[in-house]
């Protein structure tokens, strides 16, 4: 009797395919194999094995088992679970999980080995080299350095045949973290949280805790102590620390290295492929204890995962919006459940979903009382732009400029926060009134002065800023409307020409190390005024920063989606929380046209609980998350009529479900992207409904014609 293997391929296919296992090939679930698909061999993963043969329809035969690490069973289970949750095909989730395995191998390096032959002329230098070659596998130059000799000595021994060169694939080696390396003395509130986490991780069971404390209260310190306790108990344990943005990983990597005397592995899309491969193999080979990464690190093949930390858990960047769509924070909890390990969600402004779980006792709720040491929260004032507006064409109001002058005069730092990249969010023609859009999308082009280009932030389309209006041809008629960070920087420079001013946004900072350098310059007080988007508003410590000016506090409220108020509150609380971290009191000024708005009032009063309570009441009344569930279907196609016809049939195909309401189809707010028209459905369901299954059932009933694409987004964060 032969054997049949179900093999999942990392591509958008509806299911795993069956293959005949050739005689003599020993396989196990999780093995990576080469499977024929059409004329090609594709890397896939065995998800099931059973005895049997293909019957009257012969199956294709697997080519071979790859000599590469298998996926651990829990990783495989997680991939299948994630796909089900996202109402997507499992191959899409597998594709993320194999990203490291599929990356090219690092180039082999040449290593010196002793052949066993004794040197003809055994001088002390030559003997040292032979000894050193026996102790470690080193490249020729490193061997010479280790033995304290010149390169010539090594070369002579190679020529003589005492040593030989062998090619070796470099493997990533991570030094074992030392749990007692630099343990801090925790304050009582931090120690209480650490003890609670210790008790939790000691059980070795799946449990979730919310670590809730204002910025600067020491959440990072506490979760690093939780990691230390886990590693002290079990040196084999693996710890995963997830951060919402690549820019933040650098700071946490530095703190992990300082705390444990050993650098962790780093994982995100910015890592070069060969290094990605090394990290993937080190994690699966159990040679790496701590990983700091972005959301995709959740898909790594951990062997002994004992603790997952999701830092800044409220951050909407944990939501992956293209390709395989998932919410990293929610999947972290799912992975914790599958691995039977502890999960810590840390935030100063937890998401309402997490708060609700803490309130109902599903998650443990650990609150850190206040800022560490003498640092205290900044005073927050609202600047009513109706009463004290900036001059025309300016964006900083007189009270903010005054506060900046005072701060600079005291030798302290200012952060101007504006969550808008570029110079101006809109360029219009004053002759014909047209707003400049990308040729195939209906979103505005953003002016970037550094590059002199107009850029579509949605699609990446860009063009040089034209001299004449592309619509009416009028010359010199284009005007820049509204501010982006570059424009605020320009204004700050004209107000304070002597001050050291820098901009931090994803357009001005290209790689995480450069970002880190700017952050360090800010930490050392070498920048007086930093103009930044949210990239710098989160997670950093600037001891000499005492003023935060929020240029447009109303910005996030205008979107009008489910989380607009929540997100605005979180972002502004984070941004204002940057001020006054050490011994100097800080101040935050929020420029707003709506000082009476509940978000502004809650920020001013620093009353997070009141804000959340009001917001939760509204959500409950409407049956919205966290009290109900949402999913979206986004349907797009190049032809408006065909799209209309298809969404009508799709609406009719929606399954009937108890406790499920389907809204739409409606034009998406971004109704044209890259030449494709877009429509949306929104589905609301009661909490008990398996909304993923509902969406999958709906998808199974429709057959989108060729050019129409249906994307399902379970728990949507973007409503555009
Ligand atoms: P959070 O993560 O809550 O924003 P951090 O852990 O970054 O807070 O702590 C804020 C600052 O205070 C950091 O510079 C940190 O090193 C310092 N700090 C916090 N707790 C302690 C402690 N117990 N001992 C020494 N320094 C601490």
């Amino acid at each position: 009797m032969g054997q049949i293997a179900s093999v999942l391929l990392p591509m958008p296919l509806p299911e795993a395919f069956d293959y005949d296992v050739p005689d003599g090939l020993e396989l196990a679930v999780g093995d990576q194999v080469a499977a024929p698909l059409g004329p090609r061999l594709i890397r896939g993963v065995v998800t099931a094995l059973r005895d049997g043969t293909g019957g009257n329809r012969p199956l294709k035969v697997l080519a071979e088992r790859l000599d590469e690490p298998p996926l651990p069973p829990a990783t495989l289970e997680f991939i299948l679970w994630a796909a089900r949750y996202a109402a997507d095909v499992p191959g899409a989730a597998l594709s993320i999980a194999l990203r490291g395995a599929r990356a090219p191998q690092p180039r082999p390096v040449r290593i010196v080995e002793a052949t066993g032959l004794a040197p003809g002329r055994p001088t002390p230098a030559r003997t040292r080299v032979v000894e050193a070659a026996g102790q470690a596998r080193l490249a020729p130059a490193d061997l010479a350095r280790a033995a304290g000799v010149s390169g010539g000595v090594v070369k002579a021994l190679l020529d003589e045949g005492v040593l030989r060169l062998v090619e070796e694939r470099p493997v990533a080696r991570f030094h074992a973290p030392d749990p007692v390396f630099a343990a801090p003395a925790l304050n009582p509130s931090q120690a209480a949280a650490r003890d609670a986490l210790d008790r939790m991780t000691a059980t070795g069971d799946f449990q979730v805790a919310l670590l809730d404390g204002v910025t600067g209260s020491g959440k990072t310190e506490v979760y690093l102590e939780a990691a230390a306790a886990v590693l002290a108990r079990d040196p084999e344990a693996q710890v995963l620390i997830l951060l919402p943005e690549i820019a933040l990983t650098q700071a946490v990597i530095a703190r992990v290295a300082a705390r444990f005397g050993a650098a962790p592995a780093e994982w995100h899309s910015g890592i070069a492929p060969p290094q990605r491969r090394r990290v993937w193999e080190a994690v699966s080979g159990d040679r790496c204890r701590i990983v700091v990464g972005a959301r995709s690190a959740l898909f790594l093949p951990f062997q002994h995962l004992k603790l997952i930390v999701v830092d800044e858990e409220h951050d909407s960047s944990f939501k992956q919006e293209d390709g395989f769509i998932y919410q990293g924070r929610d999947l972290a909890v799912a992975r914790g459940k599958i691995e039977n390990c502890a999960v810590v969600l840390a935030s100063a402004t937890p998401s309402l979903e997490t708060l609700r779980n803490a309130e109902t006792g599903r998650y443990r709720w650990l609150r850190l009382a206040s800022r560490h040491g003498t640092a205290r929260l900044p005073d927050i004032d609202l600047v009513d732009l109706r009463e004290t507006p900036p001059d025309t064409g300016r964006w900083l109001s007189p009270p903010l400029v005054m506060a900046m002058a005072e701060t600079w005069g005291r030798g302290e730092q200012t952060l101007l926060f504006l969550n808008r990249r570029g110079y101006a969010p809109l360029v219009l023609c004053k002759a014909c009134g047209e707003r400049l859009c990308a040729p195939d999308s209906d979103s505005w082009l953003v002016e970037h002065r550094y590059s002199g280009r107009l850029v579509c932030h949605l699609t990446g389309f860009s063009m040089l800023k034209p001299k004449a209006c592309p619509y009416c041809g009028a010359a010199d008629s284009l005007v820049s409307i509204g501010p982006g960070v570059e424009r605020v920087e320009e204004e700050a420079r004209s107000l304070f020409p002597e001050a050291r001013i820098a901009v931090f946004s994803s357009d001005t900072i290209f790689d995480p190390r450069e970002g880190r350098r700017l952050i360090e310059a800010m930490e050392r007080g070498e920048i007086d005024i930093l103009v930044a988007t949210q990239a710098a508003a989160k997670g950093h410590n600037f001891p000499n920063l005492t003023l935060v000016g929020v240029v447009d506090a109303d910005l996030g409220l205008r979107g009008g989606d489910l989380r607009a108020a929540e997100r605005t509150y979180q972002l502004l609380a984070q941004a204002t929380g940057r001020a006054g971290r050490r011994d100097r009191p800080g101040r935050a000024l929020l420029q707003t046209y709506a000082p009476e708005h509940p978000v502004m009032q809650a920020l001013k009063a620093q009353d997070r609980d009141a804000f959340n309570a009001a917001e939760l009441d509204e959500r409950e009344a409407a049956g919205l998350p966290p009290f109900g569930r949402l999913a979206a279907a986004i349907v797009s196609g190049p032809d408006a009529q065909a799209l209309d016809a298809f969404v009508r049939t799709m609406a009719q195909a929606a399954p009937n479900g108890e406790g499920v309401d389907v809204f739409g189809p409606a034009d998406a707010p971004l109704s044209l992207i890259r030449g494709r028209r877009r429509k949306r459905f929104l589905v609301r369901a009661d909490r008990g409904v398996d909304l993923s299954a509902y969406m999958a059932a709906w998808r199974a009933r429709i057959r989108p014609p060729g050019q129409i694409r249906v994307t399902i987004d379970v728990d949507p964060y973007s409503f555009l």
Side-chain angles (χ1 to χ4, degrees):
M1 181 76 122
Q3 209 183 20
I4 297 178
S6 296
V7 177
L8 189 61
L9 303 174
M11 45 181 60
L13 297 167
E15 56 200 354
F17 287 168
D18 281 350
Y19 290 91
D20 265 335
V21 180
D23 286 343
L25 181 63
E26 294 267 322
L27 279 185
V29 168
D31 278 346
Q32 296 193 49
V33 291
L37 184 74
R40 291 190 301 154
L41 285 178
I42 306 274
R43 178 196 298 263
V45 172
V46 177
T47 54
L49 287 162
R50 63 181 194 278
D51 290 333
T53 48
N56 42 15
R57 266 190 59 218
L59 297 172
K60 288 197 173 175
V61 182
L62 279 184
E64 59 170 338
R65 185 167 70 78
L66 301 176
D67 184 19
E68 303 212 14
L71 285 189
T75 304
L76 196 54
E77 186 182 342
F78 171 68
I79 289 167
L80 299 177
W81 192 95
R84 208 194 144 279
Y85 153 87
D88 204 336
V89 292
L94 179 68
S95 173
I96 304 177
L98 288 186
R99 222 174 261 161
R102 288 198 289 174
Q105 302 264 14
R107 250 188 271 144
V109 289
R110 286 153 60 125
I111 298 293
V112 186
E113 260 180 12
T115 57
L117 206 71
R121 230 170 7 90
T123 63
R126 297 178 130 225
T127 312
R128 277 206 308 280
V129 172
V130 177
E131 276 172 15
Q135 277 161 9
R137 303 183 64 73
L138 299 170
D142 297 331
L143 177 62
R145 210 169 304 126
V149 302
S150 73
V153 182
V154 174
K155 176 152 188 325
L157 289 168
L158 282 167
D159 292 344
E160 224 176 287
V162 175
L163 302 176
R164 70 170 160 240
L165 283 173
V166 288
E167 293 222 320
E168 203 171 82
R169 216 157 59 72
V171 293
R173 286 184 213 288
F174 294 95
H175 294 290
D178 176 359
V180 297
F181 185 75
L186 297 182
N187 68 33
S189 151
Q190 294 169 343
R194 179 210 44 209
D195 293 346
L197 289 177
D198 275 3
R199 284 194 295 278
M200 188 171 118
T201 53
T203 64
D205 290 335
F206 165 65
Q207 286 181 60
V208 187
L210 164 61
L211 184 56
D212 176 359
V214 294
T215 42
S217 56
K219 296 182 294 297
T220 312
E221 299 286 340
V222 170
Y223 73 64
L224 290 182
E225 289 323 291
V230 166
L231 289 163
R233 219 176 286 126
D234 175 4
E236 299 279 282
Q238 291 178 304
V239 174
L240 170 62
I241 301 173
L242 290 177
L243 295 155
E245 279 178 35
I246 298 178
L248 293 178
T249 55
Q250 297 301 309
V252 174
I253 285 168
R255 284 182 70 171
V256 169
R259 169 63 184 82
F260 293 100
E266 179 178 4
W267 182 270
H268 49 71
S269 58
I271 300 291
Q275 177 61 6
R276 211 181 293 161
R277 171 110 180 195
R278 281 148 77 159
V279 171
W280 197 91
E281 290 181 354
V283 170
S284 82
D286 227 357
R287 298 191 306 277
C288 167
R289 309 268 70 91
I290 306 180
V291 177
V292 175
R295 57 188 179 232
S296 63
L298 264 178
F299 290 83
L300 283 169
F302 291 99
Q303 299 281 0
H304 290 108
L305 191 56
K306 298 290 180 215
L307 174 65
I308 305 176
V309 177
V310 183
D311 200 356
E312 313 280 0
E313 70 84 30
H314 62 277
D315 197 304
S316 49
S317 303
F318 279 116
K319 184 75 198 276
Q320 161 81 31
E321 298 281 8
D322 352 283
F324 184 70
I325 298 177
Y326 64 96
Q327 162 51 280
R329 180 232 309 143
D330 296 347
L331 284 197
V333 173
R335 176 117 203 203
K337 183 146 199 258
I338 289 170
E339 301 280 350
N340 221 8
C341 80
V343 181
V344 175
L345 308 177
S347 176
T349 50
S351 62
L352 291 183
E353 283 83 351
T354 297
L355 270 178
R356 180 77 190 139
N357 281 324
E359 275 176 8
T360 54
R362 221 168 303 156
Y363 296 172
R364 234 172 242 234
W365 194 349
L366 308 173
R367 297 189 87 146
L368 294 180
S370 59
R371 290 192 156 189
H372 180 68
T374 49
R376 60 183 184 84
L377 280 174
D379 295 326
I380 298 184
D381 286 314
L382 305 177
V383 177
D384 187 340
L385 290 175
R386 293 167 307 195
E387 283 175 11
T388 51
D391 294 341
T392 322
R394 300 259 169 174
W395 317 100
L396 304 175
S397 63
L400 179 53
V401 173
M402 179 85 80
M404 288 169 71
E406 286 164 10
T407 305
W408 188 48
R410 282 195 305 268
E412 296 168 0
Q413 294 169 300
T414 295
L415 171 72
L416 291 179
F417 172 74
L418 175 62
N419 210 11
R420 235 193 217 147
R421 295 151 50 201
Y423 182 83
L426 168 64
V427 176
L428 64 73
C429 169
K430 59 181 188 240
C432 69
E434 278 293 345
R435 295 150 182 228
L436 267 59
C437 288
D440 58 354
S441 302
D442 61 1
S443 71
W444 299 340
L445 288 173
V446 177
E447 179 176 3
H448 287 245
R449 284 260 162 116
Y450 279 130
S451 60
R453 301 185 78 84
L454 304 180
V455 182
C456 174
H457 284 181
L458 222 62
T459 63
F461 167 88
S462 80
M463 62 192 241
L464 279 175
K465 188 178 176 190
K467 296 260 181 295
C469 170
Y471 300 99
C472 70
D476 297 324
S477 66
L478 297 180
V479 283
S480 314
I481 307 292
V485 276
E486 293 175 12
R487 197 168 202 177
V488 171
E489 181 207 10
E490 183 182 88
E491 185 174 342
R493 279 191 199 283
S494 75
L495 289 165
F496 302 97
E498 312 270 287
R500 296 163 299 173
I501 300 178
V503 183
F504 191 117
S505 87
S506 57
D507 303 295
T508 49
I509 303 294
F510 295 105
D511 89 65
R513 254 155 303 205
E514 199 181 324
R516 185 73 210 139
R517 274 196 291 280
L518 190 61
I519 295 293
E520 280 167 4
M522 185 72 184
E523 282 167 358
R524 286 195 299 268
E526 292 163 10
I527 295 171
D528 299 315
I529 300 172
L530 182 66
V531 186
T533 60
Q534 59 177 350
K538 303 173 192 169
H540 302 297
N541 292 310
F542 303 127
N544 198 35
L545 173 70
T546 55
L547 174 66
V548 171
V550 176
V551 178
D552 184 353
D554 310 329
L555 186 59
L557 287 175
R558 289 182 206 127
D561 72 46
L562 165 72
R563 294 183 180 81
E566 180 188 357
R567 245 191 320 241
T568 303
Y569 184 86
Q570 288 163 345
L571 194 56
L572 296 185
Q574 293 279 334
T576 54
R578 297 297 112 210
R581 308 253 315 176
R582 283 275 156 82
D583 46 351
R584 298 160 211 246
R587 200 175 163 203
L589 290 180
L590 270 57
Q591 301 196 132
T592 172
Y593 283 101
E596 63 289 338
H597 193 288
V599 170
M600 301 304 151
Q601 288 299 322
L603 281 163
K604 180 170 161 54
Q606 309 208 17
D607 193 347
R608 189 192 86 183
D609 293 346
F611 172 77
N612 285 331
E615 192 65 16
L616 278 171
D617 280 349
E618 278 190 27
R619 300 262 189 102
E620 186 163 23
L624 291 172
F627 300 94
R629 302 196 54 206
L630 290 181
I634 301 103
V635 191
S636 68
D639 179 69
Q641 272 183 347
L643 183 64
D644 277 343
F646 176 71
V647 289
R648 274 197 302 275
T649 50
M650 183 164 164
Q652 282 159 7
N656 285 324
E658 182 111 6
V660 180
D661 308 311
V662 177
F663 303 100
D667 283 338
L670 290 171
S671 62
L672 181 68
I673 300 182
R674 290 196 184 93
R676 298 177 71 85
R677 308 255 153 216
R678 302 169 78 244
K679 301 257 179 194
R680 292 182 66 100
F681 289 92
L682 189 65
V683 183
R684 195 212 65 84
D686 295 342
R687 254 197 87 89
V689 172
D690 184 344
L691 190 52
S692 299
Y694 178 91
M695 297 305 285
W698 192 4
R699 193 203 284 270
R701 290 180 176 198
I702 54 172
R703 294 273 168 276
Q707 294 195 298
I708 289 185
R709 214 163 41 221
V710 178
T711 304
I712 290 180
D713 183 354
V714 176
D715 296 329
Y717 276 60
S718 161
F719 295 84
L720 294 176

